[in-house]
Amino acid sequence: MIIRAPSTLPICATRPRSARAPASARSSDWARRRCRPAAARWCSIRVSPAALSRTCLGAISGPSIARGTSFLKDRLGDMIFPEAITIIDDPHRPRGLRSKPFDGEGVANRRRAIIDKGVLTTWLLDLRSSRQLALKTTGHAARGTASPPSPAATNVWIEPGALSPQALIADIQNGFYVTEMMGMGVNGVTGRL
C-alpha cells in the first residue's frame, strides 16, 4: 500500500467536495474531449485466444445445442476455424485451476481436443444434455452451490501456432484486436459479433 502526503495529491482530490464537479460530469466531459465516434466500416478483426475460447465454449454447450439456440448446432465435424486453431480441454492438467479426476456427476473425464485443426469435434455434455441429444456424456458436468449440474469446460487453452500475436496483427492497417467481450459481445444464436 502506498500512502501519499496531502501535498502530493492531485489538486481535485484536495479541494472540498462541494467545489468539485460531480463525478458524472467530470467523466462525461472527459469522454466528450477524448472520444470520437468511429465511422461505420468493414474492417479486419483479430480475436485474442482467451476471447475466442470463451465465445466458442458457450456455443458448444449441450443445453444450447439441445434447444437449437446455438449458431454451431449443425456444425459438429465441420471446419469452423482455420487449420492452425486447436482448442484443448484438459481436466487432468497438473496444477490446473479446474483439474479434477471426474466431473460433477461422477463421470470420468479426459483430455479432449474441442477444436482439432479447425474442426469442431465435440459438444460439452453432461448427463441431461447427452440424453436429450442421444449422445454419450463427455464428462463436462460442473456443480454450483444452488443449481443442478450443467456443462462447463475445465482447463482450456489454444495450442500455440506458428505466428505470434504481434505477427498476426502486423499486417492490419485498420481494424480491431479483441481481447475481451462483455455483455452481448456475441449473439449465441447467429454467431454475429
Side-chain angles (χ1 to χ4, degrees):
M1 175 189 249
I2 298 174
I3 300 174
R4 297 190 292 182
S7 62
T8 63
L9 290 174
I11 209 86
C12 64
T14 58
R15 280 192 243 158
R17 184 173 292 281
S18 60
R20 289 186 281 155
S24 60
R26 287 194 313 268
S27 62
S28 64
D29 183 50
W30 179 86
R32 269 195 299 282
R33 286 185 284 125
R34 304 272 190 227
C35 302
R36 297 181 315 258
R41 64 184 178 274
W42 289 98
C43 61
S44 296
I45 295 177
R46 299 294 189 266
V47 182
S48 72
L52 178 66
S53 62
R54 275 186 237 116
T55 302
C56 178
L57 294 176
I60 64 171
S61 177
S64 297
I65 302 301
R67 284 190 307 265
T69 58
S70 170
F71 64 96
L72 294 174
K73 67 181 181 226
D74 299 320
R75 304 292 306 271
L76 188 64
D78 291 352
M79 182 169 272
I80 61 170
F81 288 112
E83 193 172 319
I85 303 289
T86 297
I87 300 177
I88 304 293
D89 180 31
D90 187 2
H92 303 152
R93 187 174 189 171
R95 292 182 295 286
L97 293 177
R98 298 192 72 186
S99 292
K100 53 191 175 184
F102 48 85
D103 74 353
E105 296 170 325
V107 176
N109 51 24
R110 64 179 177 87
R111 182 182 196 265
R112 291 179 187 271
I114 296 170
I115 307 291
D116 190 19
K117 295 184 177 142
V119 177
L120 177 61
T121 60
T122 188
W123 308 124
L124 301 180
L125 302 174
D126 60 352
L127 288 172
R128 180 176 168 204
S129 59
S130 65
R131 234 182 348 266
Q132 291 172 332
L133 294 167
L135 297 170
K136 188 177 178 190
T137 182
T138 58
H140 281 100
R143 288 191 177 274
T145 57
S147 62
S150 61
T154 55
N155 302 307
V156 177
W157 74 90
I158 297 179
E159 291 284 316
L163 298 174
S164 69
Q166 291 77 18
L168 287 171
I169 62 174
D171 64 338
I172 298 177
Q173 298 300 318
N174 193 356
F176 293 99
Y177 184 61
V178 178
T179 57
E180 189 165 326
M181 291 181 256
M182 56 187 227
M184 280 302 295
V186 176
N187 183 329
V189 177
T190 64
R192 296 191 72 170
L193 295 174

